[in-house]
Amino acid sequence: MKTFWKRGFVLATVFALAAIAVPAQPKPAGGLSVPVTYYRLPNGLRVVLSPEKSAPLVTVAVYYNIGFRIEPKDRTGFAHLFEHLMFQGSKNLGKMEYIKLVENNGGVLNGSTRFDFTNYFAVVPSHKLETLLWAEADRMRGLDITDENLKNQQGVVSNEVIVNVLNQPYGTFPWIDLPMAAFQNWYNSHNFYGELKDIEAATLGDSKTFFDKYYSPKNAVLVVVGDFDEPEAKQFVSKYFANIPAQAPDALPDISEPRQEAERTVSRTDKLANKPAVAFGYQMPKRGTPEYFAMGLIDQIMLQGEDSLIHQEFVKKKGYAGGVGGGINAYLGNMFNYNGPMLFAMDMIHDDKYTADEIKASLDEVVRQLQTQPVAQKDIDRAIVKLRSGLYDTLQQFGGFGRADLLASFALFDDRPQNINQIEANFRKVTPALIQKTAREYLRSTNRTVVIVNPETKGGKND
């Protein structure tokens, strides 16, 4: 799987569910109006249903609240390893049969490991909803974890690290390099792909313990999006998930970070790279605060699109590079699907006639504009238009998976999937004064981390 960067007896239970259901939030004036039904099963599983009947498809997504930054300290890479193990067989489905079941029914599927969750999803023709829910419940109930499967996937994951990271130019740049340099707390700054020695040392007992701790209904959100009948979907969910035993997960570790008080710079030589590269990362405001939404608009104004300040300065005017990448959680998601310290980052592979210091000086000029001059309301309005455009693209992504991802993230981190319909309203509360205040605090040079990658020279290392 692709990583980083995927009736009859239940009547009484349905009545029980109605008693604990969370009522849908009233539709906001303007903005998104996504239907949301949210409730919990008695075993703690959170369920989100969101009908959308434009195509005869359904997306089923399960998000477990275990990601690579919150994995145990002596088990680096374990969240990622376990993502692979989830496809190796369960009680009633043999090795790889889950994949065959989806694909033979015309569906697509995937899974991924992110900062704060591991997710699994499949998109199938809508009449296969019950089959897919049965299969997903089967592996939540219990994996068929064997020595053979574990050893096989240890090899697969180790090979993935070697091929996709260690033997690739810019392999860890900047998605691993930046957080490792910017953050002080181990949970936010360790090698998220995992140390090969930790992956190779995993035992069968470790795997079973990890599954029991983190893959329980209480630690998960199930989302169904697409063309389905809601009462029938509730019956299916109850039938297959309600009798999975509940087990409380371990408490999440403390992943907080101190306020950054000094700029950090790290540099390294990449023998596979042929051009220098530089990345800048600023620690974000806490998720959900007014400043967080202000940074969302700053991202649009500074970095996103050819009209952005950075593109105009770095690409059009100075010619440092052909483009600049980045954003908020840009390398592993978006600004909504994480839950902890995060970076607003930008990066480029640039022409070797320019230095990182020259580029940083240009960045300081752009930042100074935002810190000293109020942004015009028309620029805020344009930023919201760009943000809305991206949001609608996300909702349509991959057969409805983008919608499922937003709903799952708001359910998992906020216990309020209805927040999907408040996104635009929260951005519209941002004022020019708040953008200026946020830029002064969060775009400080002392809140910045710089990662520089130099190609190896003929004479040897170059950092």
Side-chain angles (χ1 to χ4, degrees):
M1 295 295 101
K2 186 179 187 304
T3 57
F4 298 114
W5 102 228
K6 266 155 22 250
R7 296 178 185 176
F9 79 96
V10 298
L11 188 60
T13 310
V14 171
F15 282 121
L17 294 177
I20 60 172
V22 178
Q25 189 165 290
K27 291 181 180 179
L32 295 177
S33 183
V34 175
V36 179
T37 297
Y38 183 45
Y39 60 94
R40 288 176 187 266
L41 296 181
N43 62 9
L45 178 68
R46 286 159 281 182
V47 182
V48 186
L49 305 177
S50 183
E52 203 285 312
K53 297 182 180 295
S54 62
L57 299 171
V58 288
T59 298
V60 172
V62 179
Y63 280 54
Y64 293 94
N65 197 182
I66 176 66
F68 47 67
R69 82 158 131 202
I70 49 179
E71 61 195 1
K73 278 192 174 181
D74 57 349
R75 291 290 180 268
T76 64
F78 222 83
H80 178 211
L81 172 65
F82 218 85
E83 175 209 320
H84 284 250
L85 286 173
M86 283 289 279
F87 294 95
Q88 298 306 303
S90 53
K91 184 177 180 182
N92 294 296
L93 288 170
K95 185 180 176 70
M96 307 301 283
E97 285 186 359
Y98 178 91
I99 295 174
K100 292 177 184 174
L101 179 71
V102 173
E103 293 182 340
N104 289 345
N105 280 293
V108 294
L109 74 161
N110 215 328
S112 69
T113 312
R114 307 296 180 89
F115 280 99
D116 302 293
F117 61 78
T118 305
N119 66 354
Y120 306 89
F121 70 92
V123 183
V124 295
S126 51
H127 68 284
K128 289 297 178 184
L129 173 61
E130 183 175 9
T131 302
L132 188 55
L133 289 172
W134 168 80
E136 199 61 73
D138 197 56
R139 59 180 178 173
M140 183 184 288
R141 188 181 310 279
L143 281 184
D144 183 22
I145 304 172
T146 66
D147 263 325
E148 180 189 356
N149 289 342
L150 176 60
K151 285 185 171 55
N152 177 270
Q153 292 309 304
Q154 285 171 310
V156 170
V157 171
S158 296
N159 194 52
E160 186 177 317
V161 174
I162 292 168
V163 172
N164 292 348
V165 180
L166 301 181
N167 287 338
Q168 288 288 329
Y170 314 102
T172 57
F173 177 83
W175 65 283
I176 290 180
D177 294 333
L178 262 178
M180 287 186 75
F183 293 129
Q184 302 296 295
N185 185 329
W186 179 90
Y187 287 100
N188 303 312
S189 63
H190 68 278
N191 177 3
F192 303 133
Y193 243 129
E195 303 296 338
L196 291 179
K197 63 179 176 56
D198 284 351
I199 296 170
E200 291 164 358
T203 67
L204 195 60
D206 295 334
S207 304
K208 291 180 177 176
T209 299
F210 194 87
F211 180 81
D212 291 341
K213 278 187 177 180
Y214 300 111
Y215 279 71
S216 70
K218 279 191 174 179
N219 206 41
V221 171
L222 167 68
V223 182
V224 182
V225 168
D227 180 21
F228 62 88
D229 176 74
E230 189 167 302
E232 185 179 58
K234 282 184 175 179
Q235 289 183 358
F236 293 155
V237 169
S238 179
K239 180 178 179 180
Y240 297 113
F241 288 89
N243 59 358
I244 298 175
Q247 179 169 329
D250 280 3
L252 291 174
D254 176 8
I255 58 173
S256 62
E257 287 284 337
R259 185 178 188 268
Q260 188 170 335
E261 301 287 1
E263 182 173 274
R264 299 178 186 124
T265 301
V266 297
S267 62
R268 65 177 174 84
T269 298
D270 187 335
K271 65 181 180 181
L272 299 176
N274 56 17
K275 290 283 186 182
V278 63
F280 305 97
Y282 296 88
Q283 291 201 28
M284 279 283 294
K286 186 178 178 183
R287 184 174 171 275
T289 60
E291 290 80 6
Y292 159 86
F293 289 105
M295 280 295 286
L297 294 188
I298 287 173
D299 175 35
Q300 297 294 329
I301 293 168
M302 272 187 74
L303 191 57
Q304 303 303 327
E306 294 191 2
D307 66 330
S308 67
L309 299 176
I310 291 290
H311 187 90
Q312 290 296 315
E313 180 72 14
F314 286 19
V315 179
K316 296 290 186 182
K317 183 178 176 181
K318 299 289 179 59
Y320 295 142
V324 184
I328 300 168
N329 191 23
Y331 310 113
L332 290 164
N334 55 54
M335 71 174 292
F336 307 108
N337 59 6
Y338 69 88
N339 189 34
M342 185 49 63
L343 297 172
F344 166 52
M346 60 199 76
D347 69 281
M348 75 189 81
I349 297 170
H350 61 88
D351 193 310
D352 52 15
K353 67 183 178 184
Y354 301 107
T355 67
D357 282 343
E358 289 177 274
I359 297 170
K360 186 168 72 172
S362 294
L363 174 60
D364 285 337
E365 284 300 314
V366 172
V367 168
R368 194 171 295 118
Q369 289 181 49
L370 292 169
Q371 292 173 328
T372 59
Q373 302 170 22
V375 172
Q377 185 59 47
K378 65 179 177 58
D379 293 328
I380 291 180
D381 293 342
R382 187 164 65 242
I384 291 176
V385 169
K386 288 198 291 182
L387 194 143
R388 287 187 67 187
S389 175
L391 194 55
Y392 279 96
D393 282 347
T394 298
L395 290 177
Q396 299 303 319
Q397 187 182 64
F398 206 18
F401 168 68
R403 177 189 298 236
D405 178 70
L406 288 172
L407 290 167
S409 299
F410 286 127
L412 200 62
F413 305 137
D414 307 306
D415 201 23
R416 285 185 58 81
Q418 305 94 321
N419 284 354
I420 192 172
N421 291 323
Q422 298 301 311
I423 291 175
E424 187 172 338
N426 285 323
F427 283 110
R428 288 198 179 280
K429 294 176 186 173
V430 176
T431 64
L434 180 58
I435 286 183
Q436 192 169 9
K437 175 189 168 191
T438 303
R440 286 175 176 167
E441 169 59 19
Y442 291 96
L443 298 183
R444 288 175 287 116
S445 61
T446 51
N447 189 43
R448 180 168 62 197
T449 298
V450 184
V451 170
I452 299 167
V453 172
N454 293 309
E456 189 170 271
T457 62
K458 290 182 180 179
K461 293 185 178 179
N462 195 31
D463 57 1

